[in-house]
Amino acid sequence: MKTIVNISRVLVGALFIFSGLVKAIDPLGLAYKMQEFFEAWANDGIMKGLMGWLNDQALMFSILMITLEVVLGVVLLLGWRKNMVSWLLLLLMLFFTFLTSYVLFSGKIRACGCFGDCIPLTPVQTFTKDIVLLILVLLILTGRKYIRPLFSNTVSVSLFFISLLGILGLQWYVLKHLPVKDCLPFKIGNNILELRKVPKYAVPDKYDYSFIYKKNGETKEFAVSALPDSTWEFVERKQVLVQKGKNNVALINDYILKTASENDTTEAVLNQKGEYYLLYVLKVPTTKHTGWVNTFYEMNQKGMACFYITPNPAGLNSYLNVFQPNKIPILTCDYTVVKTAARNDIVLYLMNGPVVKNKWGGDDIEHALK
């Protein structure tokens, strides 16, 4: 029993640390995933009144969850505070199992994001993983008397604070800049136009069709191969999914850049030759921040093609006109697409045709432009 408990302790501790670190490189990704859950629960009538507040606090919840995962994993491996840690692990695993079961059985959320965007898992895989982890945690809880601390209390406390500060510091750095590991379709080197296309090896969905007709008050369903004569009146067509396709969705969906007059200019912008800049503005700043505004304007005046991309063109235009009349095109793009492309409130892309050549976020933008 002692051996089984300690093997379980190592497996659970290592997996918790790994899971936390994978998400810590992009805490905004977990925050957006949490917002998906909040929206789904609101539509189900669960916590509907708290929807706005929960969405606003999603990033804080994300940071706390990631930090808790890593710290609990470290403390479990150290064998320190085994009683408290065992119960916390059980509560956390019950919560995780509830989330993954909701994803699996409701079908309202595509994936739970347990390992972030770098290691996508299917709902079945994540649910199975959590069931296995729950069993291991129960073994740890019932056999915690076999767990012995690896170090003295002083060393354990020191390692606890080091891990706490380390994981918080990593997330702070990422939020000030960009994820240290980019696993999204907009990463450096990717061709945005190519990724908007369905892959050549895609297998389309297969459907079966039937048709409803009526005649003399009688309604009847007919197969495609046995349609009735012209004396029957068509009512409707039914479509039934026979076989689900594979890889038949483009990696980049709904990436459409529109001008102020609502014209689709995606191909025109991304197909231009040479280098140019795209500045994604997810949230319009609430205070004056003239650095990147003036520098971006100067780059455009020197002949470098520059474009703003935002889900809020009116708000951005009002903000920019505080400094000087804006002469850089502001293109509109869907909010969900922009928050995927821009893992910061403001992100600068250096493009070469449709290929992402480089990108910078937050505090690095002004320096990159200069």
Side-chain angles (χ1 to χ4, degrees):
M1 183 64 179
K2 179 180 179 180
T3 302
I4 295 175
V5 169
N6 280 286
I7 290 175
S8 300
R9 176 171 67 92
V10 172
L11 290 175
V12 173
L15 192 59
F16 262 64
I17 294 172
F18 176 76
S19 175
L21 288 175
V22 168
K23 293 193 285 285
I25 61 176
D26 184 14
L28 272 174
L30 180 59
Y32 295 148
K33 180 58 64 176
M34 287 181 170
Q35 288 175 343
E36 283 187 48
F37 278 98
F38 298 152
E39 289 169 7
W41 292 339
N43 293 333
D44 287 343
I46 305 171
M47 297 187 294
K48 188 173 183 179
L50 294 175
M51 177 66 181
W53 181 81
L54 288 171
N55 271 334
D56 292 341
Q57 305 304 318
L59 181 57
M60 180 191 71
F61 292 145
S62 171
I63 293 171
L64 289 175
M65 184 63 70
I66 291 168
T67 303
L68 184 61
E69 274 193 89
V70 172
V71 169
L72 278 179
V74 170
V75 174
L76 180 62
L77 290 179
L78 293 174
W80 184 59
R81 300 289 180 129
K82 58 185 180 182
N83 289 327
M84 180 184 69
V85 169
S86 299
W87 283 107
L88 283 174
L89 284 172
L90 178 62
L91 292 174
L92 205 56
M93 282 313 308
L94 289 173
F95 177 64
F96 287 163
T97 305
F98 161 72
L99 294 180
T100 54
S101 64
Y102 181 83
V103 171
L104 177 61
F105 297 113
S106 73
K108 296 182 178 181
I109 298 175
R110 187 168 54 88
C112 75
C114 298
F115 287 141
D117 293 297
C118 291
I119 308 177
L121 298 177
T122 65
V124 173
Q125 290 172 331
T126 53
F127 181 69
T128 304
K129 169 187 69 69
D130 282 352
I131 292 297
V132 173
L133 278 174
L134 182 58
I135 293 171
L136 294 177
V137 168
L138 287 171
L139 287 172
I140 293 170
L141 180 64
T142 55
R144 60 189 182 278
K145 64 181 180 180
Y146 298 112
I147 298 176
R148 297 287 181 268
L150 296 181
F151 306 105
S152 66
N153 189 64
T154 302
V155 174
S156 295
V157 170
S158 300
L159 292 174
F160 164 77
F161 279 108
I162 289 172
S163 64
L164 176 63
L165 294 175
I167 192 63
L168 288 174
L170 173 59
Q171 293 177 85
W172 174 85
Y173 175 85
V174 169
L175 292 172
K176 285 287 185 180
H177 304 276
L178 284 178
V180 293
K181 172 68 174 176
D182 193 349
C183 300
L184 294 167
F186 294 90
K187 65 183 179 182
I188 295 172
N190 278 7
N191 185 315
I192 294 178
L193 285 180
E194 285 300 314
L195 293 180
R196 292 174 76 226
K197 302 175 183 177
V198 175
K200 294 180 180 179
Y201 52 84
V203 178
D205 294 337
K206 291 184 179 179
Y207 294 93
D208 190 16
Y209 300 93
S210 63
F211 296 83
I212 308 297
Y213 284 83
K214 67 179 181 179
K215 178 180 179 181
N216 300 327
E218 178 189 4
T219 301
K220 193 173 179 180
E221 184 174 341
F222 296 87
V224 178
S225 58
L227 295 178
D229 57 41
S230 58
T231 61
W232 288 78
E233 180 184 352
F234 173 76
V235 177
E236 65 174 324
R237 185 189 74 169
K238 286 186 177 181
Q239 176 178 289
V240 179
L241 180 64
V242 176
Q243 182 178 347
K244 184 69 177 174
K246 294 182 180 179
N247 304 311
N248 56 354
V249 178
L251 285 177
I252 296 179
N253 278 317
D254 301 325
Y255 186 88
I256 301 172
L257 306 178
K258 293 185 177 181
T259 64
S261 55
E262 291 293 311
N263 293 321
D264 184 349
T265 188
T266 313
E267 299 281 340
V269 170
L270 297 181
N271 271 321
Q272 60 186 311
K273 296 181 179 180
E275 295 182 348
Y276 58 96
Y277 284 109
L278 302 177
L279 189 63
Y280 290 87
V281 182
L282 180 63
K283 294 181 181 178
V284 178
T286 54
T287 57
K288 291 184 179 181
H289 188 101
T290 59
W292 60 265
V293 174
N294 290 334
T295 308
F296 201 53
Y297 177 79
E298 291 168 4
M299 291 292 294
N300 186 249
Q301 292 297 101
K302 292 177 181 177
M304 174 66 79
C306 298
F307 303 87
Y308 286 109
I309 299 176
T310 180
N312 182 11
L316 178 59
N317 190 55
S318 297
Y319 175 78
L320 296 173
N321 286 331
V322 170
F323 307 102
Q324 57 197 356
N326 179 48
K327 297 180 181 179
I328 299 176
I330 298 178
L331 307 178
T332 306
C333 190
D334 179 74
Y335 177 79
T336 301
V337 176
V338 174
K339 74 180 184 182
T340 302
R343 281 302 207 246
N344 204 312
D345 288 348
I346 304 172
V347 175
L348 176 70
Y349 276 48
L350 173 60
M351 304 291 296
N352 189 352
V355 178
V356 181
K357 188 173 181 180
N358 210 338
K359 58 181 176 178
W360 303 268
D363 295 348
D364 299 325
I365 291 177
E366 191 174 347
H367 174 73
L369 286 171
K370 289 181 178 179

